[in-house]
Amino acid sequence: MTRVIFQPWGVVAEVSTGTTLLDAARVAGVEIESVCGGRGTCAKCRVIVSEGVTEPTTLELRGLSTQELSVGYRLACQAVVVGDCRVVVPEEAQITRVSILADGMQRTITLEPWALGHTLIVPAPTLEDQMADDARLAAAWAEFVEAQPIGGGTYANMTLGALRQLPHAVRADEGRVTLLQVDGDVVQIEPGQRSEHLLGIAFDLGTTTVVGYLLDLETGEQLAVASLLNPQTRYGDDVVSRIAFSQREGGLETLHKEIVGALNRIVAATVADAGEPFSTQDIVAATVVGNTTMQHLLLGVSPAALAQSPYVPAVMSARQVPAKALGFDVHPEAHVWTLPNIAGWVGADTVGVLLATGIYDDEGISLAIDIGTNGEMAMGSRERLVTCSTAAGPAFEGAHLSCGMRAAEGAIDTVHLDGDVWWHSIGDAPPRGVCGSGLVDLVAEMLRTGIISTTGMMEDGETLRHNGRARLAERISQEGRMRVFELVEAAEGAGGRPVRVTQRDVRELQLAKGAIRAGIEILMKELGVTPADVQRVYLAGAFGNYVRPESALAIGLIPHFPHAEIIPVGNAAGSGAKMALLSRSARELASTLVRRVEYLELSGRADFQEEFSEAMLFDA
């Protein structure tokens, strides 16, 4: 075994020779940026090490400059341990606290919980009436329902755990018992008046972030919310990387355990935040939304088929799973519902957005867009609803860009060019890179000031000076055959490093926005509508919430809808999960909506490539 010491923390990992530094970091619990999941293509996992590792690989020679290599920079996913070594993880490779959006639009619903608690009296047996305990409980239940109509259906079934509690419960307090009923099943029987709380938790299981909402099932009150970075990001920032990792030996089990562990941490955090007298064991119901891949990984079901044409998932319907089967640290008889998926690349998170925005019931045409690594969108009204997904790539989340990063402290999220450069970074920290909303802002400003053309080509400094943009021209440089714009000078950047946007970065955004815009155009074509017919545009998710609509319009990310109200709806997917947790009808509506929605597979349409080619232009 060899020792790998990770600085600046002094954390030690003992690993076998032949282990990559990235895997050694995982053993040590050290989180290093690895956007591509360890394939060596993103060059984000930069560390400094001088000995004890193999020579640089071809991918490292391509991803690191000669100067970086000379001072000991290596890619953690490529450098293999051959002896004891000391590794410095620089600030730019450390995963920082991500700005996670929790709030979202939610429609008003009638509280109709599917987990209920009831207290009733079970008559004691006599020599004349020797009915068994379960029969007497069923008779008492029938009288209770007749005298006091309640929601939750009839007394349908008693779990084995509840049956084992029955003999003691009916004899301990003169026949007074409390039943806990989840989805009609009696899952717990305790003696006496009900004293425990009935809590539920709704999860939005995102590729990058995970959010949990703790709710009181009897009042509908939100008691607490907690969020964290999805720990699966260490195996790749996008679902394609994780699908690939899941096919490695032990990969699926690893990803499953990682996400269950994250959800359990959120459970503990929300209950602690809610305070006394709440307990994790009071949580008797849970709902989960997420993209189709994330739903599969949570259930421990292989998502491999999603990466292969015709992209058919193993499961699309809503699933009810016992919490104990998933390893959730909640009431052992709690039910966990994963909401249904629409297709291989349009998941339950889109169903959550549909529930929250209500476009399925609109009289006029509405459009809902949730932009992340994939762009899921739905358009229509109560008459007809169509949806599709475009492989937008990770540009909108700041990944696969030379300057890109997540929306974390130090990420530039707003840019204005007015003679010179003005920017804002999250947390007002020294800038480390640019997140998605900041990049859209920047490119919109570069278009307005003539730094780039509608084709995406970056102008040279001489042309800008000739056009009266002398201060901006000073920020243009040439690196090989590629032009670069210096957004942040080295003196202002974190660690004395500049933040630069390259021609290739602009191209990545161009490809991403082209895919989104082409998808919108296809939806309009399918419905036979024009931009003038659209009445509302819902921008969902963190990117949609923080991007400036005028910048999105300026680069042509979305068409100009002359009569539409553009509405940022925040984490609408999470809001949909909460609705399904609080209302049996909303949960059932989710499955009904899936049967109504028409999914368009864009890869099979000849006109998509035409629309994509046109949408590549930065032309509103």
Side-chain angles (χ1 to χ4, degrees):
M1 300 292 284
T2 55
R3 286 167 52 88
V4 182
I5 303 174
F6 289 95
Q7 301 290 14
W9 310 283
V11 176
V12 179
E14 293 192 354
V15 298
S16 302
T17 301
T19 303
T20 66
L21 290 179
L22 184 60
D23 284 336
R26 290 167 180 163
V27 170
V30 172
E31 294 188 336
I32 297 177
E33 284 281 9
S34 178
V35 172
C36 66
R39 298 196 301 272
T41 57
C42 72
K44 297 287 187 184
C45 59
R46 302 179 183 205
V47 297
I48 303 171
V49 58
S50 58
E51 59 184 3
V53 293
T54 52
E55 292 297 312
T57 66
T58 301
L59 288 172
E60 288 179 285
L61 296 174
R62 182 185 306 159
L64 298 169
S65 68
T66 302
Q67 181 180 0
E68 287 173 324
L69 288 166
S70 69
V71 296
Y73 271 91
R74 300 293 300 275
L75 298 184
C77 68
Q78 297 295 301
V80 175
V81 176
V82 295
D84 292 349
C85 56
R86 186 180 301 271
V87 181
V88 176
V89 183
E91 185 180 1
E92 64 266 26
Q94 298 173 20
I95 296 180
T96 56
R97 181 176 178 83
V98 177
S99 177
I100 300 176
L101 179 66
D103 295 333
M105 173 183 181
Q106 181 172 320
R107 305 174 74 222
T108 302
I109 59 171
T110 300
L111 188 62
E112 190 185 350
W114 37 274
L116 301 160
H118 312 289
T119 300
L120 60 152
I121 303 294
V122 179
T126 66
L127 289 174
E128 292 75 24
D129 181 5
Q130 296 189 0
M131 280 198 304
D133 292 348
D134 62 340
R136 286 184 293 111
L137 177 61
W141 175 265
E143 292 182 9
F144 174 75
V145 171
E146 183 177 354
Q148 181 181 340
I150 58 172
T154 60
Y155 173 77
N157 182 51
M158 188 188 304
T159 64
L160 180 58
L163 181 61
R164 288 170 174 168
Q165 296 169 341
L166 177 62
H168 168 71
V170 296
R171 291 170 175 82
D173 189 15
E174 298 180 344
R176 181 179 290 105
V177 297
T178 294
L179 308 184
L180 174 59
Q181 188 185 34
V182 183
D183 282 320
D185 292 342
V186 175
V187 301
Q188 177 178 293
I189 305 175
E190 291 191 332
Q193 184 75 30
R194 184 167 68 87
S195 58
E196 76 278 3
H197 301 274
L198 291 183
L199 306 182
I201 190 161
F203 293 109
D204 175 23
L205 189 54
T207 307
T208 304
T209 58
V210 185
V211 184
Y213 308 86
L214 185 69
L215 304 177
D216 186 318
L217 297 180
E218 296 177 292
T219 66
E221 178 187 1
Q222 180 171 299
L223 302 173
V225 59
S227 58
L228 48 76
L229 182 70
N230 188 329
Q232 294 176 338
T233 54
R234 69 187 64 162
Y235 307 99
D237 264 25
D238 57 81
V239 294
V240 174
S241 299
R242 293 183 209 170
I243 291 172
F245 184 84
S246 73
Q247 296 177 70
R248 293 168 52 176
E249 184 177 354
L252 178 59
E253 182 181 5
T254 296
L255 293 174
H256 170 70
K257 286 183 176 179
E258 288 279 18
I259 196 58
V260 170
L263 298 188
N264 278 335
R265 289 195 293 277
I266 286 178
V267 165
T270 54
V271 170
D273 190 40
E276 295 290 343
F278 302 116
S279 160
T280 59
Q281 299 304 298
D282 293 330
I283 298 176
V284 296
T287 52
V288 182
V289 299
N291 64 53
T292 310
T293 299
M294 294 309 304
Q295 299 275 72
H296 279 60
L297 294 177
L298 173 64
L299 296 172
V301 177
S302 173
L306 294 175
Q308 306 165 4
S309 181
Y311 318 111
V312 175
V315 57
M316 282 178 53
S317 59
R319 291 285 165 176
Q320 181 268 308
V321 184
K324 57 188 174 185
L326 287 174
F328 277 11
D329 185 18
V330 295
H331 191 288
E333 299 289 351
H335 287 186
V336 179
W337 278 91
T338 58
L339 268 61
N341 300 302
I342 294 173
W345 293 98
V346 179
D349 47 356
T350 299
V351 175
V353 171
L354 295 178
L355 283 175
T357 59
I359 72 172
Y360 59 87
D361 201 32
D362 284 350
E363 291 185 3
I365 299 295
S366 296
L367 168 66
I369 317 172
D370 192 348
I371 299 175
T373 306
N374 287 315
E376 294 95 5
M377 57 201 79
M379 178 180 279
S381 64
R382 63 176 56 177
E383 299 298 325
R384 187 184 179 199
L385 196 59
V386 292
T387 187
C388 70
S389 173
T390 59
F396 293 119
E397 295 183 340
H400 292 190
L401 303 172
S402 63
C403 61
M405 63 179 292
R406 299 184 184 94
E409 186 174 286
I412 293 174
D413 60 353
T414 306
V415 178
H416 179 62
L417 306 181
D418 185 13
D420 208 344
V421 176
W422 308 90
W423 45 260
H424 172 267
S425 65
I426 296 175
D428 294 319
R432 301 171 54 211
V434 185
C435 65
S437 62
L439 183 62
V440 171
D441 242 17
L442 173 61
V443 171
E445 289 291 280
M446 293 172 82
L447 276 167
R448 184 180 61 82
T449 55
I451 297 175
I452 60 175
S453 66
T454 57
T455 65
M457 183 63 67
M458 196 178 297
E459 298 288 358
D460 60 82
E462 186 61 35
T463 300
L464 288 175
R465 275 187 287 271
H466 179 73
N467 293 334
R469 303 288 186 180
R471 296 287 296 275
L472 296 177
E474 295 173 0
R475 293 177 177 267
I476 299 291
S477 62
Q478 193 82 23
E479 291 186 359
R481 300 176 61 183
M482 183 171 61
R483 290 185 182 129
V484 177
F485 180 79
E486 188 170 86
L487 176 59
V488 178
E489 297 175 344
E492 299 176 295
R497 290 181 297 276
V499 177
R500 296 189 174 104
V501 178
T502 69
Q503 180 70 68
R504 187 177 296 114
D505 294 332
V506 174
R507 178 68 171 178
E508 285 289 333
L509 179 66
Q510 216 170 347
L511 290 167
K513 86 95 184 177
I516 297 294
R517 176 64 178 268
I520 296 172
E521 296 290 344
I522 292 292
L523 291 181
M524 289 194 295
K525 181 185 292 186
E526 183 68 24
L527 290 172
V529 301
T530 68
D533 298 315
V534 178
Q535 297 182 4
R536 283 167 294 275
V537 178
Y538 299 106
L539 300 179
F543 175 81
N545 196 70
Y546 295 121
V547 68
R548 289 196 299 169
E550 55 267 35
S551 294
L553 287 166
I555 70 169
L557 174 63
I558 58 177
H560 175 62
F561 297 106
H563 307 304
E565 181 183 6
I566 298 179
I567 310 169
V569 293
N571 189 2
S575 295
K578 289 192 287 184
M579 292 171 66
L581 179 65
L582 295 175
S583 169
R584 178 189 301 273
S585 296
R587 194 187 74 190
E588 293 171 354
L589 175 60
S591 295
T592 302
L593 284 176
V594 168
R595 293 192 290 271
R596 276 185 53 192
V597 173
E598 300 173 39
Y599 171 68
L600 305 181
E601 177 53 63
L602 298 185
S603 64
R605 294 184 64 116
D607 55 351
F608 176 73
Q609 193 58 45
E610 297 174 9
E611 295 288 353
F612 178 68
S613 298
E614 291 186 21
M616 281 283 291
L617 293 174
F618 285 124
D619 186 357

